[in-house]
Amino acid sequence: MDESKVLPIMDPQSEEKYVVRTKSSSLIPIRYVLVVLLFLGNMNIYGMRVNLSIALVAMVNDSETGSHQQVSYCKGVQNDTHRTDTAGEFNWNANTQGLILGAFYYGYLFSNVPGGYFSVYLSAKWTLGLSVLFSAVINLLTPLAAYHGYVTLIASRVVLGLVQGLYFPSFYHLQGLWMPPDERSRSFSVTSSGTAVGSLLYLFVPGYLASSNIMGGWPSVFYISGFTGILFCILWFLLAYDSPSVHPWISNSEKLYIMNSLKWEGSKKQKVPRVPLCSILKSPPVWAIVICQTCMEFVMFLFLAETPKYFSSIQGFNLSQSGFIAGLPWLVQCLLGISIGFAADGLISRNLFRVVTVRKGLTAIGVTAQCVLFLMTAYSGCNSTMAVVCFLVAMSFGGVYVTGYYVNKLDVAPNSVSVIAGITNFMTTIGGMIGPPLVALITKEHGTIQEWQVLFWMICGVLLLGGLVFTLFASGEQQAWDRELSGTVPQEGMATDINDDHDSETPLLRE
């Protein structure tokens, strides 16, 4: 290898001068632009996923009288005047609604692992962008699908899951290529908070849209979601790039800082490395992440779909109130997650705690707090204030473990993170598939407090299992099989080196 073409590894003691040079070379560092774009991408992709859970309440005529004023479990105790919604258009029972809400995950299941490989061998930028674009188109067509019958709507949700399964492997891949290790916690907490903001906006705003006369009421939820998704895609395709080495506007100092901190080497002659799939599948730290995230996201997906049902059928809130309650925790979770992310980076960079201690500690705190508060919600009875407060605080604690097990993928395998994300999302999708039908099975048509208590106990057991496995087997160190990929600099199209010599002929892996 030509030593003149190899990027020198930066001495940790000299990192500060790179930071200063980067700040002086451009008004806004390009990696921060990517953080904003990924935040907006998460907001849109999650919004287009969860909007149906609140719109469905307005779509369905679920009473014999044709009125949406069904009796809630607590009606007559304190919520007589809460339910004022208009009747829905579709006569779909609880089992059909469960199939509709769960259909997304049948498509999502099969595209996550391919999404990881597309990000590595093709383009993470285009994989992510096209995922959002096709999701937007499907959202625009969702009202048409619903009017053709629930089978067509289920098919559209399967296709939506198929295209959205490509998104998060590419999201993780871009994070691994652009974010220096000392910035991972805060950058990941900011970008992932987009899912919380998206959940807030698309659970809260659709509650009002669906009960209004804007563009026909509930169809406006999908029209607005699709339109905002297309607007994001325009920004994404204009401003996003696969890696610092191919970005046309990035300063040389910022490029050097990122590439040195990630220990990339530039070379004209590089072989395309194989993704170490066998090593990934045999790694206990990887399986700790997979099992923990499967358990946590089972709970998250379940509540994304079923929160409006709980507060509607048990506490007697109307559509817009249920949407507000379902969405508010995501705002608090967003703010808490960002604050914890900056604090976690401070603890790590100052060597106050090891990386693994921070990841395990935050995960344990989040899981314990959520279990206690979910049980308090379950046993609040018809005390609506207590139920709402406990539930909001419980869901908000999800922001604590964003910088726990979520970001841990970037610690153990920054070069293979897109493939690990694909495997992890494949596993978590199974929880998303069984969640809505399981709720329908346990809570029947409308549900009682006792039936929901059974569900909350089951949720706490799942959370504790995930937290225990992560505490026992997680690691904060980059795995040896992933370090072997660090000599490859991701490029777009053909390989180039740090000196911007464009005569290379070797296709290069994007990790």
Side-chain angles (χ1 to χ4, degrees), residues 5 10 31 41 93 129 197 201 212 247-248 267 282 304 322-323 360 394 396 419 502:
K5 298 295 185 182
M10 184 173 61
R31 64 188 184 277
N93 60 29
V197 174
L201 291 177
S212 72
H247 200 292
S267 175
K282 292 188 293 184
L304 279 172
S322 296
K360 290 182 177 181
S396 299
V419 176
H502 297 286

Side-chain angles (χ1 to χ4, degrees), residues 382-405:
C382 289
N383 186 337
S384 298
T385 301
M386 181 177 177
V388 169
V389 170
C390 291
F391 181 80
L392 294 184
V393 178
M395 292 299 290
S396 299
F397 266 92
V400 174
Y401 50 61
V402 164
T403 46
Y405 73 89

Side-chain angles (χ1 to χ4, degrees), residues 267-423:
S267 175
K268 284 187 175 184
K269 301 298 181 181
Q270 301 256 9
K271 293 183 178 179
V272 178
R274 298 173 64 88
V275 173
L277 187 59
C278 290
S279 298
I280 290 173
L281 295 177
K282 292 188 293 184
S283 172
V286 169
W287 280 106
I289 296 169
V290 170
I291 294 172
C292 184
Q293 186 165 334
T294 299
C295 294
M296 306 304 179
E297 293 202 357
F298 167 80
V299 174
M300 182 185 69
F301 290 157
L302 188 149
F303 279 127
L304 279 172
E306 303 296 340
T307 297
K309 179 178 179 180
Y310 171 75
F311 284 101
S312 175
S313 64
I314 298 298
Q315 300 298 338
F317 292 106
N318 64 25
L319 180 59
S320 59
Q321 290 169 329
S322 296
F324 177 78
I325 295 169
L328 186 59
W330 303 102
L331 174 62
V332 182
Q333 186 180 116
C334 168
L335 298 175
L336 183 60
I338 292 173
S339 301
I340 294 293
F342 277 86
D345 274 343
L347 294 173
I348 293 170
S349 63
R350 291 176 174 82
N351 295 318
L352 297 177
F353 292 97
R354 295 188 303 154
V355 172
V356 69
T357 304
V358 172
R359 305 300 184 221
K360 290 182 177 181
L362 291 174
T363 301
I365 292 171
V367 167
T368 304
Q370 282 196 327
C371 287
V372 172
L373 289 162
F374 280 145
L375 291 178
M376 291 176 67
T377 303
Y379 287 92
S380 61
C382 289
N383 186 337
S384 298
T385 301
M386 181 177 177
V388 169
V389 170
C390 291
F391 181 80
L392 294 184
V393 178
M395 292 299 290
S396 299
F397 266 92
V400 174
Y401 50 61
V402 164
T403 46
Y405 73 89
Y406 256 110
V407 76
N408 191 232
K409 300 182 192 70
L410 295 170
D411 299 323
V412 302
N415 296 309
S416 310
V417 68
S418 61
V419 176
I420 294 174
I423 295 171

